[in-house]
Amino acid sequence: MVTHRSAGAFIAFALVLGCMSGLACAARAVAGEAAGYVAENAFFTGGLGDDAELRKGRTEKGGSRKGDEPGLYGGSRDLDVCDTQLLLEFLLNAANVRKKTAWAKALGISARNKKVRQFVGSLTEVLLAGDTLVANHGYRKGRANRYDAVLEAGTAVLVDLFGVPRVKCNCGNPLAVSGQDPGDVDVEFKNRDKGNRKWHVRKDRVVRVEKADEKQKSLVVVDVDDPDQQIPLPLPTDPDTKGPDKKSVTVPAVRGMTESEATEALTGLGLTVETERVDVPEVGTGLATGTDPADGTTVPAGSTVTLMVSGTATEGLVDVPSVIGMPQEEAEQLIYEAGLQPAVALQGASADQVGLVIDQDPEGGQVEPGSTVSLTVGEETTTTTDGGVDGGTDEGADGGTDAGADGGADAGTDAGTDAGADAGTDTGAAVP
């Protein structure tokens, strides 16, 4: 097994044909990514993981496959192809809060630090044993940019408890189940002068992995040390949900962030946030100007930090508190205490989001007393759609939603996935 690292630019396109009843077929360009290739607009470029060249043990059966089927992946109990601790350090760094938020949204999980730890802790590193069609996501203009991709056999990925690829190891990109038919993939390679390495793709061997019918305790994988053998690979049974035990935290630098981003960066460290309006002309209205205590100060976990936001408080108006991620009752009480009226709408969500506020409008700023604040609260979903196609599997682990980001429906479009974290809850309704 030969490992590869590559940061060279690579663009390959595949045409996936789809026909709708009564209409002509339409071609759609889909990226193809070789083992060792770090995609453009990657979420992470710091040597997060290694791919490998697989000459033996490759799966020869293509098509849509359930995540618990033997031989979809290569692995061993000693496999070391994905540095999940480095991924967590990157995502939980306050300076990367925007990437963390986009990353979590693409996977259909909460962006709270605890939920991100749960999600990563529930994943297992493996190598793809066949060319695999996935929905990949790059980071561009503050958002996760969804695109379908064929990942070459040997690509290192993290899979969830339902056997679905969720993260591409070498760049940290979130993955979901593609909505395309793997049998209709026709790969075209371009930009070979920028690192494109062409490989032979057989349509009848391209795999799309869908969720298993239930959570798995182990997966049967090809032994990377002896490709003629298959072995059971144990999956996490008690993912780490707490992270390191910290008695104190360092206040992060939030100047220049939006109010909601700064609040999330602070609360994600276990701090309580109070907001104060200050007149700082050189900082745009609505952006954080700093904190009290100042950034870099070490304080006990749970301490209250004053977040200073540019913009003179207008007489007669009240601040809209940020309640995303809070339980419904707690959020409504906070809205009432601010002199505002909550209006609740329910939306299907995975088990870890049931009863929590997953969106609000407005998210912040100042409004007239008595104004309505619309809260979207997660409710348990009892039906599934399309077997998790185009946005993820139907049952998730702490955070999946059936309706994906950017208005997607039927298992999520443009970022939605059903598999999440939190050791894999039984009912989901997203995330790759």
Side-chain angles (χ1 to χ4, degrees):
M1 181 175 69
V2 181
T3 59
H4 300 270
R5 289 185 185 272
S6 173
F10 170 102
I11 299 178
F13 293 95
L15 294 181
V16 178
L17 303 179
C19 300
M20 298 180 63
S21 178
L23 299 176
C25 294
R28 179 180 178 183
V30 178
E33 300 180 357
Y37 165 61
V38 177
E40 293 182 333
N41 302 316
F43 270 79
F44 187 100
T45 57
L48 188 66
D50 292 309
D51 296 340
E53 183 177 352
L54 294 184
R55 298 188 180 277
K56 295 185 65 177
R58 293 172 58 117
T59 181
E60 296 185 358
K61 178 183 176 183
S64 295
R65 311 276 298 278
K66 291 294 184 68
D68 59 347
E69 291 187 33
L72 292 178
Y73 306 112
S76 76
R77 292 179 176 83
D78 299 321
L79 189 67
D80 185 14
V81 293
C82 201
D83 192 337
T84 55
Q85 184 57 42
L86 189 60
L87 175 62
L88 277 176
E89 289 176 2
F90 177 82
L91 291 171
L92 302 184
N93 187 322
N96 298 322
V97 64
R98 292 185 180 181
K99 279 194 172 182
K100 181 188 71 170
T101 300
W103 188 87
K105 186 177 182 181
L107 292 165
I109 66 172
S110 167
R112 288 185 295 169
N113 286 357
K114 176 182 177 181
K115 301 304 182 183
V116 171
R117 289 193 190 98
Q118 289 174 334
F119 176 75
V120 174
S122 71
L123 304 178
T124 299
E125 56 187 325
V126 294
L127 300 171
L128 297 178
D131 298 338
T132 304
L133 178 63
V134 299
N136 202 341
H137 301 81
Y139 182 77
R140 188 170 63 187
K141 296 181 179 180
R143 298 178 58 190
N145 176 48
R146 179 186 171 105
Y147 64 97
D148 289 316
V150 175
L151 305 183
E152 186 185 14
T155 299
V157 297
L158 293 171
V159 297
D160 64 17
L161 297 174
F162 292 91
V164 176
R166 309 302 281 136
V167 177
K168 189 172 185 288
C169 284
N170 66 1
C171 58
N173 283 2
L175 303 176
V177 180
S178 171
Q180 308 304 319
D181 186 341
D184 288 337
V185 174
D186 185 14
V187 180
E188 176 184 347
F189 295 89
K190 296 183 179 181
N191 296 333
R192 299 188 66 180
D193 59 328
K194 295 183 179 180
N196 178 2
R197 181 176 58 79
K198 187 175 182 179
W199 83 95
H200 178 62
V201 179
R202 290 185 50 174
K203 292 184 181 181
D204 61 341
R205 294 187 181 181
V206 174
V207 174
R208 180 183 67 189
V209 182
E210 300 177 359
K211 73 171 184 69
D213 293 332
E214 59 184 9
K215 292 181 295 184
Q216 302 298 301
K217 294 182 179 179
S218 65
L219 295 176
V220 177
V221 301
V222 176
D223 188 344
V224 295
D225 298 317
D226 185 2
D228 293 325
Q229 301 295 322
Q230 293 188 349
I231 59 173
L233 181 65
L235 300 184
T237 56
D238 186 21
D240 176 22
T241 60
K242 297 180 180 180
D245 183 19
K246 297 181 179 179
K247 296 182 180 180
S248 61
V249 296
T250 300
V251 179
V254 297
R255 185 181 178 88
M257 294 184 183
T258 65
E259 181 178 347
S260 60
E261 290 171 345
T263 299
E264 183 175 0
L266 294 166
T267 57
L269 294 174
L271 299 171
T272 301
V273 178
E274 292 183 352
T275 303
E276 177 182 332
R277 302 285 167 178
V278 294
D279 186 12
V280 182
E282 63 269 24
V283 178
T285 300
L287 301 182
T289 66
T291 56
D292 183 17
D295 59 89
T297 304
T298 300
V299 298
S303 298
T304 297
V305 174
T306 300
L307 171 64
M308 291 173 283
V309 178
S310 179
T312 303
T314 304
E315 185 175 354
L317 298 184
V318 295
D319 289 328
V320 177
S322 176
V323 296
I324 293 177
M326 293 184 180
Q328 179 181 345
E329 291 185 4
E330 181 181 338
E332 288 189 60
Q333 182 62 35
L334 199 59
I335 296 295
Y336 281 126
E337 291 177 355
L340 304 170
Q341 295 294 320
V344 177
L346 300 179
Q347 177 177 302
S350 67
D352 96 294
Q353 291 180 312
V354 172
L356 301 182
V357 177
I358 57 179
D359 196 10
Q360 74 174 80
D361 184 25
E363 293 187 12
Q366 293 185 313
V367 296
E368 295 282 349
S371 296
T372 298
V373 178
S374 299
L375 306 179
T376 302
V377 176
E379 68 171 344
E380 184 175 359
T381 300
T382 58
T383 59
T384 59
T385 59
D386 290 346
V389 173
D390 194 21
T393 56
D394 289 328
E395 297 194 46
D398 191 25
T401 59
D402 277 332
D406 297 335
D410 280 348
T413 307
D414 192 27
T417 58
D418 289 329
D422 201 19
T425 56
D426 285 333
T427 303
V431 161

